[in-house]
Each structure stands twice: as structure tokens, then as C-alpha cells.
Amino acid sequence: MKKGNLAIAAALSLSLVASACTLSTKDKTAEQTASPSGAPVDTTPVDIELLAQNSNEADVNIIRDQLTKNGFNVKLNLQPDYGTFKAQQDAGNFDIAISSWTTVTGNPDYAVRSLFKTGGDYSIMSDPEIDTLVDTASTQTPEQYAETYKQLEQKLVFDKAYIAPLYNSVKSQAFNQEVLNKDTVRLSKSRSLPWEALDFKDTSKRAKDPIILQSTMPTLTSLDPIKGNDGSINIINTNQYVRLLNLTDDDKLTAEGSLSYNFAIAEGNSEYYFILRDDINFAAIKDKLAVDTGERVGGDDVIFSLLRAKDKNSVPNHRTYTLHEHISKVELVTDAAALDSVKISGSGDTVKAGLEKGLPAKIAALVSDKKESNNKEGKYQVIKLTTTKPFPQVLNYLAHQSAGIVSKKQVEAINTYDVAKFDPNKDIPYGDQNTVTEGAKYNNTLYTSGPYILSSKTDYEANFYKNPAYMKGTANEPKVNNIKVRFIKDMDSTLSALRSGEIHLFYSVPENKYDVVKGDTKLSLQTMPSNAVSYLLFNTKNREVAKSADLRKAVLYSINQDEFLAYYKNNKIKAVSTVSPLVKTGLEVKADPAKVKDFLAKYKASK
């Protein structure tokens, strides 16, 4: 998941300070003009407070100018970083806030459930009509849900104006093509960069030299995959924990590179089957290096991981439970004959036939003990997952980093505290970043099932090593022994580090740096339309915008997306909602000063 506010470093006329500030673009003075009928018309600017981070300077200027031209007096509440921005948002100190969301699972339910449904992880809304549409769409196939998501966008944006879209972003990365083999550097629409695919141009460097990546966030939310869903850990946890499924670079579901050989959906779209590989062990850290624990990643770990992922109370500060709330049961299938009695959805094939495609050997037996699994002899483990209702999009959530498979034995050994009485001053949960941070508290207890494991970190960099028991001898075995992630907050400094060779890859290159990258023969730039959408989020409590849809609509129709596209040299795409990159609804928001004038007049008349 990738989400959060998009950092755009741009130097425009507005000077922003690094601490909280409130600026007003115009003093509020009462003004009246005459209408064609001779009656006075109130033209007093309407106050509106815009909350944003300093890094959104370019967008702030464009929004401020557009709103000012349309009859608003814009007050700016500018914060130096995401932490202070979020504190201001939680305190309700805004009318509109620049927000953004990246759908990292490739499915539209993820683009709306956490954001707009009552009780969603990041939702400040409560609207029964929106809730119904979100839930209805989740039960439908892609052929069915396009119309439902169109109705949702209509309600969300046009009828209720809960958000005002700004743009859909392009995903990008740049890398040193003199160091990295360009054929191994993947850019995916949704999933994080797969580290196991990365390789040097000179393969003799694999064992001794690190590939050096970059991140802007040295503070890691959690290395427990269910406790974080932000930019600090999405890529890291995606590469530390294997999942039942993955996404292709163009957002198709695949078992390739996952814990499953194959998967199948049973008739009714409520039962899902996965046949597990036997060639992945958990990795641990000993003397700062990765070692094979000898413990196989198996069915008991899958069941444990997914049930805790859906349970809000399994850990304190659970950040991802709503993604998995549709999971009802996760269990092992031990009777192979049972797979022959179930048909695949939309097919005449049995689940057993579907699971057997391309296996090392046909299914001879299903075992309950992961130690007895031997794929070459036809002994497998099969997981059956049942949802609370038909919910095909559950598969996309199983490809999300929060569905990473952890060690049941290790997590239970570490998390001995009482969740209800958790004390962060004395209780140390599995995945606490302090346990891997060099210093007095370092005590790395990670057990990871993915291609890499974090050995240690400082405020300067994080050091990862390949899992020595991850799909050995296959195309998915990690190529390079060591990966480092350098923490560089400033985009200009990051680009300089890439050009000087200090780092090898720059993830999420700002649009205004594309020409610099293209002009450097050592570098290669990759871009593609992303699932990231930026928008204005309206306050829903204790503000005039919370009470008046007319006021919100006046803001909505003041926003001219063409001006954003022009500023970013058409490296942005028009959007309607967070669904825009995923479902083509045919809806479009167009700036309309006449509508703004009418809605402002209705708002003023209602006061």
C-alpha cells in the first residue's frame, strides 16, 4: 500500500517556513454589487483553510490561486512533515486538506474501503449510501462492478462533494544502467519493487557488493506486516515476507514468486484454494548475517498469519485489519478427494485439476504437518480460505504486504504481552524497529519468509541480506546477497546521490526531475501510469464545509485540473476519485466558475 501525501519539491513564489504557519491571501471585507435586477449580491470572499505539507508547495499555490479567483479567502495551514500534518488533520484544524492514496493491491475496493466507508482505517466519513455502494461493489466481478463504482463516484464527488480531485500521478523510478542490469529492474503499477529480481550488470558483484536503494523515511512503522501500511515499510515488508499471491506488473493476480504453486476459486466465489510450495524456510539474523532457521514456511504459518491479519485485536495499533475483514475461515485441506468434488468458478474443471497444473508431481497426498510436505513425491499442503460473503477481491488483499506470512512459533514467542494492557514503555512487540536499530536496544528477533531480511538499521541506512533458504535453484531465488537502503529525505540530494553513484536506484522521481535524468547517459528513467491519486479531502466535523454541500461543491468546481497538468508538463492524468486509475466510469469533473458562483450564493443564502 502505498499511500500518503505526495512530496513535490518545487520552487515557486510562495515562501514556506518549516514550522506550522497560517497565512491569509486576502483580508475579509464586506463587498456587495448589484445583480441585473438591481438587488445587492454579496461578493464577500468566503474563508477556507487549506492544510498541506511544505513539500506540496506547487499544488498549494495552484489551489490557492484557483480558489482566490473564485471567491474564496484562502488561509494556509502548512506543516513541515507528514507527522505534524496528520496531527493537524486529526485535530480538525482544516477545511480542506491535500491528501493522496495509492492503491497498491490493484483492485478498486482497496481504493475506497479504508478511505470512505464508515469506520474505515483512514475514513472521516459516515454516509450509509456510500457504505452500501462500497459493499455492493465488493461482491461483484469486474464486469458487474463498473456501474456500481460509477454510482459511487457520482455520490462521492458530484452529489455530496466529499472530495475534490486534483490529478492521477505517474509512477517512476530511475536507475544507474551502468551498474544494474536493466532487464532485472521492474516497474509495477501496484506492487512494490521485487528485490529478488534485481541484479548487477557485472554478475561477479553479486556476492560482495550491495545494491543500494533509497527511501525518504528512516523511522519504520513496524516490521510486523499487519502493523504498518505506509511508505516507510511497504517495500521493505513486501520483500521480507512471502504471500499466497502476487500481482504482475500490470496488476493481474499470479502465483509466480509466491508461496503458492497455484490457486483456484470455487463456485460461488466464497471459497479459495492454494497449494503450497515446500522450498522456503524462514530466515533469521545471527551475528548481523542471515541464516537458515531450518523451519519451513507452511500451512500452520499461513493460517496463523491470515487469522491475525483479520483480527483487529490481535496486536495493538493494528493498521490493516479492514483489508482482511472478509476472511471467515482459513484451514488445511487434508482429504485430496474433497478437491475433486468442488468445481472452479466459471469452469467445468475441478479444484484439484486446477491446483495440479504445472506441479512437480501430481497430488498423491495432502499432509497436515508442514515437515511431511515433499512436493517431488506429490505430498502437498492445501489451504482453503472462506470469505464471509462472495468477495473475489479478497485475492488482491492476499497479495498485499499485510498478508505476508510470519512464523507462528516466533511471533507467539515474542508477543507474550496482554494486547488489552499493552504498554509501549515496557512491552516489545514482534517487528519493533528498535530491535533492529543499532545501539543499546538492538536484539534482532525477525523471522522472515521472503527473499530478504533486515539485519540492522541506523538513521543513515538499513542493511538487508538474502534469505539463504528462499526458492533455491529457481528463477525467484534472490540474485544479490546484500541490499542497502539509504535514507535521504531531500529529492535533490537523492538525485545527486544517484548521479554520483552513491545509490543505484531512485524510487518515485519527481516529475520536475525527469529532464535531468534523461540528460544523464548513465541513468535510465522508467515511467507508467500509477494508481496514485491526489485530492482535496473536506473536513466532516465542526466546520462550515461539513455542514454545507453547496460550499463543498463551490470548492469542487473551482479546481481546474488542466492547470495541474500544464504545470507538471502532462506528467499527470485527470482523475475523478481514487477509483479513476482502476475503473473507467466515464465521469469527468470540469471547472465551472458559473457553478461556483451559484453554489456560493446558495451557501450564503442559507446562513
Side-chain angles (χ1 to χ4, degrees):
M1 157 240 281
K2 185 175 178 184
K3 63 187 183 318
N5 291 274
L6 298 176
I8 305 168
L12 299 181
S13 58
L14 180 63
S15 176
L16 306 177
V17 297
S19 60
C21 60
T22 302
L23 307 174
S24 177
T25 60
K26 182 176 179 181
D27 291 330
K28 183 177 179 181
T29 56
E31 298 177 15
Q32 288 189 336
T33 60
S35 69
S37 64
V41 176
D42 183 2
T43 59
T44 305
V46 174
D47 287 342
I48 198 88
E49 183 176 1
L50 171 61
L51 172 64
Q53 293 182 67
N54 288 353
S55 55
N56 289 119
E57 180 181 349
D59 292 350
V60 165
N61 280 331
I62 295 170
I63 294 165
R64 178 200 57 179
D65 291 346
Q66 291 179 352
L67 291 174
T68 300
K69 291 174 183 176
N70 281 279
F72 288 93
N73 177 44
V74 183
K75 296 181 179 180
L76 304 181
N77 183 352
L78 303 169
Q79 299 297 322
D81 53 42
Y82 180 70
T84 55
F85 167 89
K86 192 66 170 63
Q88 286 289 301
Q89 186 181 49
D90 291 345
N93 297 329
F94 71 102
D95 291 310
I96 48 177
I98 296 181
S99 301
S100 70
W101 182 261
T102 302
T103 299
V104 297
T105 54
N107 65 308
D109 187 75
Y110 183 89
V112 294
R113 181 170 297 275
S114 289
L115 294 176
F116 308 127
K117 193 172 185 292
T118 302
D121 298 333
Y122 299 94
S123 176
I124 61 173
M125 290 170 41
S126 181
D127 187 312
E129 292 182 290
I130 298 292
D131 293 348
T132 297
L133 289 167
V134 170
D135 285 337
T136 299
S138 73
T139 68
Q140 298 173 326
T141 63
E143 293 76 20
Q144 299 167 326
Y145 65 44
E147 177 58 31
T148 308
Y149 283 116
K150 180 177 181 178
Q151 294 175 30
L152 175 59
E153 278 195 336
Q154 181 66 40
K155 290 286 184 186
L156 181 73
V157 179
F158 299 91
D159 297 348
K160 304 293 184 72
Y162 289 127
I163 65 170
L166 302 179
Y167 50 76
N168 172 200
S169 292
V170 169
K171 190 172 184 179
S172 65
Q173 62 189 18
F175 62 92
N176 189 324
Q177 59 185 346
E178 294 182 351
V179 175
L180 299 182
N181 179 341
K182 65 180 181 179
D183 294 330
T184 70
V185 183
R186 291 170 51 182
L187 182 64
S188 307
K189 190 175 183 185
S190 291
R191 73 165 292 178
S192 297
L193 176 69
W195 291 355
E196 68 268 30
L198 293 173
D199 201 359
F200 287 107
K201 194 171 184 179
D202 178 358
T203 57
S204 68
K205 294 182 177 181
R206 290 174 173 174
K208 59 181 180 178
D209 290 355
I211 286 179
I212 307 174
L213 311 178
Q214 134 297 326
S215 173
T216 61
M217 303 179 186
T219 301
L220 309 180
T221 304
S222 177
L223 299 165
D224 182 339
I226 65 173
K227 291 190 65 178
N229 193 16
D230 60 81
S232 74
I233 49 77
N234 279 335
I235 293 180
I236 289 174
N237 283 344
T238 296
N239 286 286
Q240 285 203 124
Y241 300 97
V242 73
R243 295 159 301 284
L244 286 178
L245 291 173
N246 280 320
L247 293 175
T248 64
D249 293 344
D250 58 352
D251 283 354
K252 302 293 189 300
L253 288 161
T254 180
E256 178 65 28
S258 77
L259 184 58
S260 307
Y261 277 117
N262 292 312
F263 66 99
I265 307 172
E267 286 182 330
N269 294 340
S270 289
E271 296 178 348
Y272 304 82
Y273 294 83
F274 308 86
I275 190 161
L276 306 187
R277 309 175 64 98
D278 68 350
D279 59 354
I280 303 175
N281 287 358
F282 288 102
I285 293 294
K286 183 178 181 180
D287 298 327
K288 298 285 183 75
L289 296 175
V291 296
D292 177 2
T293 64
E295 181 189 348
R296 180 176 293 169
V297 182
D300 58 336
D301 304 300
V302 173
I303 293 169
F304 173 76
S305 299
L306 297 184
L307 291 181
R308 75 192 289 266
K310 65 163 291 213
D311 180 4
K312 180 181 180 180
N313 300 312
S314 62
V315 291
N317 302 315
H318 197 326
R319 304 288 178 87
T320 59
Y321 64 91
T322 60
L323 301 184
H324 307 290
E325 63 185 0
H326 289 93
I327 297 175
S328 175
K329 293 188 297 183
V330 188
E331 56 195 322
L332 279 169
V333 179
T334 55
D335 180 8
L339 301 178
D340 264 329
S341 64
V342 184
K343 298 292 186 182
I344 293 176
S345 180
S347 168
D349 291 340
T350 66
V351 165
K352 184 180 179 183
L355 294 180
E356 282 187 326
K357 291 179 179 177
L359 292 184
K362 297 293 185 181
I363 298 173
L366 298 183
V367 298
S368 57
D369 186 344
K370 63 186 179 184
K371 295 176 184 177
E372 296 178 4
S373 181
N374 188 321
N375 298 169
K376 291 180 180 179
E377 296 178 359
K379 298 177 182 178
Y380 296 92
Q381 288 196 301
V382 168
I383 291 290
K384 176 185 176 183
L385 183 149
T386 306
T387 53
T388 56
K389 62 180 182 180
F391 188 57
Q393 294 186 61
V394 71
L395 295 175
N396 291 78
Y397 291 135
L398 296 180
H400 186 253
Q401 61 89 17
S402 62
I405 309 304
V406 296
S407 166
K408 179 179 186 293
K409 181 179 75 173
Q410 182 71 353
V411 172
E412 288 183 334
I414 300 299
N415 288 357
T416 57
Y417 54 81
D418 183 337
V419 174
K421 299 178 181 178
F422 178 76
D423 184 350
N425 295 313
K426 67 175 184 178
D427 295 324
I428 302 175
Y430 176 82
D432 188 327
Q433 73 148 1
N434 291 318
T435 63
V436 298
T437 302
E438 291 186 2
K441 293 184 178 180
Y442 179 88
N443 180 28
N444 194 324
T445 57
L446 293 177
Y447 264 47
T448 66
S449 58
Y452 284 88
I453 183 169
L454 175 57
S455 170
S456 62
K457 70 171 285 290
T458 64
D459 288 339
Y460 174 65
E461 70 179 15
N463 203 18
F464 298 81
Y465 289 100
K466 71 179 279 187
N467 179 345
Y470 186 85
M471 300 194 196
K472 288 183 70 66
T474 74
N476 294 299
E477 179 183 355
K479 309 294 187 298
V480 176
N481 185 56
N482 182 204
I483 285 181
K484 293 181 184 290
V485 175
R486 292 271 164 82
F487 300 118
I488 310 173
K489 291 186 177 182
D490 178 72
M491 294 295 175
D492 288 325
S493 298
T494 303
L495 183 56
S496 295
L498 178 67
R499 300 186 72 186
S500 69
E502 180 185 342
I503 64 173
H504 302 142
L505 187 145
F506 180 1
Y507 198 73
S508 297
V509 181
E511 290 87 350
N512 60 355
K513 304 298 182 187
Y514 287 1
D515 289 343
V516 177
V517 173
K518 291 175 181 177
D520 191 325
T521 57
K522 298 190 303 297
L523 306 182
S524 178
L525 178 69
Q526 297 174 319
T527 62
M528 70 186 305
S530 79
N531 290 338
V533 174
S534 290
Y535 57 95
L536 294 177
L537 177 67
F538 289 93
N539 198 334
T540 56
K541 292 182 179 178
N542 306 318
R543 292 283 180 127
E544 287 296 308
V545 292
K547 306 172 189 175
S548 174
D550 289 326
L551 182 55
R552 297 195 299 270
K553 290 176 184 178
V555 173
L556 172 69
Y557 288 107
S558 296
I559 302 301
N560 186 339
Q561 294 190 44
D562 288 326
E563 293 184 7
F564 287 95
L565 270 60
Y567 174 78
Y568 289 108
K569 299 180 181 179
N570 289 318
N571 289 312
K572 300 290 187 185
I573 304 163
K574 288 186 178 181
V576 177
S577 75
T578 48
V579 171
S580 296
L582 302 148
V583 182
K584 303 308 177 187
T585 64
L587 298 176
E588 182 180 1
V589 183
K590 295 182 179 179
D592 192 329
K595 286 185 178 180
V596 174
K597 186 176 180 180
D598 289 343
F599 283 124
L600 282 180
K602 290 179 182 178
Y603 162 67
K604 291 176 180 178
S606 68
K607 293 188 67 178

